[in-house]
């Protein structure tokens, strides 16, 4: 794993549960104990702590966290308590719930997760909410954006087994003719090729495309498409090139400029902390001339900042 959070040793779920109960019992809360325990145990261990907490005190740990903590710090701690697929399913449910859809969340999760992860998310969504994720998404989206989401939800990307140079050339030509050489754009070709071909194949297609057209595929998508479809196609391309680089950019823009997009910051830090946050940190440092740690430090405050910095796992300067 390239995560910053790994299994804590020596681990004692009962001792952690007792420490958390003590930290939240009575007047006032010992936030330091709460954040230190929850950011340094991995998710499997956090589930054991929750189970021990209920066994020892007959109380629900998540309910106690919600009643004792507030604001962004509460959101972060509660998010850490959700198992990975439940976390993604929950984020998607909230993205399509109520008035207006949060296309950004749909884009980020479905463009970046592996086919196996998408299958698991769909399964968990069905179990948790007794509804089909695909039905919910198609009910809330439309047009080519919806079609690409549906293709990604099928999770049928070709497996990475060798690259056929003939097919690489063919796909690059098809994309060139569907975009730059055409009056209007044949979005369907972009959707099918970018949504179904293997990662290693598509990386070769992007190189070949550059040779044929003189443009990066991102420049063509930028010129030929717009709105949510453009953002989703670009996210898919970026994730095919490098998932850590995509998330480094996502984190950077969540904190750049006035105000912080805390929902995105929390979602990425929590969902990648056990996966590839070390690689994300490296890409962040390389692409933005500052470390993720420094940017979090400058952009957040209080217990929320302390917890995020612990998840970040160190500075890269």
């Amino acid at each position: 794993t390239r995560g910053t959070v790994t299994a804590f040793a020596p681990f004692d779920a009962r001792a952690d549960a007792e420490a958390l109960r003590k930290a939240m019992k009575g007047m006032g809360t010992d936030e330091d104990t709460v954040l230190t325990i929850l950011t340094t145990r991995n998710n499997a261990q956090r589930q054991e702590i929750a189970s021990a907490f209920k066994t020892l005190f007959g109380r629900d740990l998540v309910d106690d966290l919600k009643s004792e903590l507030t604001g962004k710090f509460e959101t972060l701690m509660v998010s850490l308590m959700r198992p990975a697929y439940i976390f993604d399913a929950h984020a998607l449910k909230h993205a399509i719930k109520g008035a207006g859809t949060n296309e950004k969340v749909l884009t980020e999760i479905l463009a970046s997760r592996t086919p196996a992860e998408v299958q698991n998310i769909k399964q968990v969504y069905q179990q948790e909410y007794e509804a089909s994720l695909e039905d919910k998404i198609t009910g809330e989206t439309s047009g080519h954006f919806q079609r690409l989401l549906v293709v990604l939800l099928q999770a049928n990307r070709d497996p990475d087994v060798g690259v056929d140079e003939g097919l690489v050339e063919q796909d690059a030509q098809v994309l060139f003719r569907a975009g730059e050489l055409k009056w209007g754009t044949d979005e369907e070709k972009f959707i099918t090729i970018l949504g179904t071909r293997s990662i290693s194949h598509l990386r070769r297609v992007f190189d070949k495309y550059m040779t044929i057209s003189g443009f990066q595929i991102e420049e063509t998508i930028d010129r030929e498409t717009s709105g949510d479809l453009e953002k989703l196609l670009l996210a898919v391309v970026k994730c095919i090139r490098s998932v850590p680089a995509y998330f480094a950019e996502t984190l950077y823009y969540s904190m750049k400029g006035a105000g912080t997009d805390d929902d995105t910051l929390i979602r990425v830090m929590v969902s990648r902390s056990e996966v590839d946050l070390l690689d994300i940190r490296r890409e962040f440092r390389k692409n933005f001339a500052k470390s993720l740690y420094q940017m979090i430090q400058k952009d957040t405050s209080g217990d929320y900042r302390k917890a995020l910095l612990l998840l970040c796992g160190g500075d890269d300067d």
Side-chain angles (χ1 to χ4, degrees):
T1 170
R2 298 287 300 151
T4 51
V5 177
T6 52
F8 184 84
F11 173 62
D12 181 343
R14 282 180 78 97
D16 284 347
E18 280 162 359
L20 286 169
R21 175 74 183 122
K22 189 173 164 210
M24 293 189 281
K25 196 176 170 182
M27 289 294 288
T29 304
D30 171 5
E31 283 89 356
D32 270 351
T33 296
V34 175
L35 70 87
T36 304
I37 291 175
L38 297 187
T39 59
T40 53
R41 311 305 190 256
N42 70 9
N43 199 284
Q45 292 175 326
R46 287 179 216 128
Q47 303 314 317
E48 286 186 52
I49 295 168
S51 172
F53 196 87
K54 195 165 268 185
T55 300
L56 293 171
F57 311 112
R59 304 174 68 92
D60 185 287
L61 176 55
V62 172
D63 289 347
D64 277 14
L65 291 169
K66 285 178 179 171
S67 72
E68 294 295 323
L69 312 175
T70 56
K72 295 172 287 200
F73 179 54
E74 177 200 335
T75 306
L76 177 57
M77 293 298 107
V78 170
S79 297
L80 284 169
M81 292 306 301
R82 290 196 178 100
Y85 299 126
I86 291 182
F87 182 77
D88 281 346
H90 181 267
L92 290 167
K93 168 130 173 95
H94 280 264
I96 46 187
K97 183 179 150 193
T101 304
N102 189 335
E103 291 82 5
K104 187 179 186 176
V105 175
L106 300 184
T107 294
E108 178 198 302
I109 293 177
L110 294 175
S112 65
R113 304 305 192 252
T114 65
E117 287 168 341
V118 173
Q119 294 290 14
N120 281 321
I121 293 165
K122 288 197 301 190
Q123 219 174 334
V124 166
Y125 195 95
Q126 184 72 51
Q127 284 161 1
E128 291 286 306
Y129 306 116
E130 297 183 341
S132 149
L133 177 57
E134 188 179 319
D135 290 350
K136 289 291 180 191
I137 286 178
T138 49
E140 295 294 329
T141 56
S142 61
H144 291 108
F145 175 62
Q146 179 199 75
R147 281 175 213 156
L148 180 50
L149 287 172
V150 170
V151 167
L152 295 171
L153 278 167
Q154 302 320 299
N156 276 333
R157 194 177 284 292
D158 297 337
D160 265 316
V161 283
V163 174
D164 173 348
E165 287 302 331
L167 188 57
V168 166
E169 171 83 36
Q170 189 185 315
D171 278 353
Q173 292 284 1
V174 166
L175 289 172
F176 187 40
R177 286 197 297 273
E180 299 288 350
L181 288 186
K182 192 177 188 323
W183 177 254
T185 309
D186 183 350
E187 290 91 351
E188 212 154 84
K189 297 281 194 290
F190 281 85
I191 289 168
T192 303
I193 291 172
L194 294 177
T196 62
R197 302 286 197 256
S198 77
I199 303 293
S200 45
H201 171 84
L202 284 168
R203 286 176 184 160
R204 292 284 303 117
V205 170
F206 299 160
D207 294 343
K208 180 63 78 178
Y209 186 87
M210 180 74 191
T211 311
I212 295 169
S213 68
F215 300 116
Q216 293 286 10
I217 188 79
E218 290 92 334
E219 296 174 80
T220 294
I221 290 169
D222 198 29
R223 262 198 304 276
E224 297 287 330
T225 61
S226 62
D228 294 325
L229 174 66
E230 178 192 347
K231 292 187 186 113
L232 181 53
L233 283 168
L234 286 173
V236 169
V237 168
K238 285 169 185 171
C239 288
I240 283 156
R241 290 195 189 276
S242 162
V243 170
Y246 169 72
F247 279 117
E249 185 183 313
T250 304
L251 285 169
Y252 178 74
Y253 285 106
S254 75
M255 293 181 278
K256 184 183 185 285
T260 303
D261 176 356
D262 292 294
D263 287 344
T264 298
L265 179 56
I266 290 170
R267 197 171 52 248
V268 177
M269 292 298 288
V270 170
S271 66
R272 308 316 287 185
S273 60
E274 290 183 44
V275 184
D276 54 2
L277 196 49
L278 292 170
D279 297 329
I280 293 168
R281 270 172 40 184
R282 194 182 62 222
E283 291 292 334
F284 197 99
R285 186 74 195 83
K286 189 173 86 187
N287 297 332
F288 303 110
K290 61 177 76 168
S291 72
L292 176 58
Y293 192 91
Q294 287 162 356
M295 202 155 177
I296 289 171
Q297 204 160 29
K298 190 174 114 293
D299 228 71
T300 58
S301 61
D303 295 318
Y304 176 54
R305 174 207 278 163
K306 276 188 209 166
L308 285 171
L309 291 175
L310 279 169
L311 281 181
C312 185
D315 201 346
D316 297 294
D317 254 17

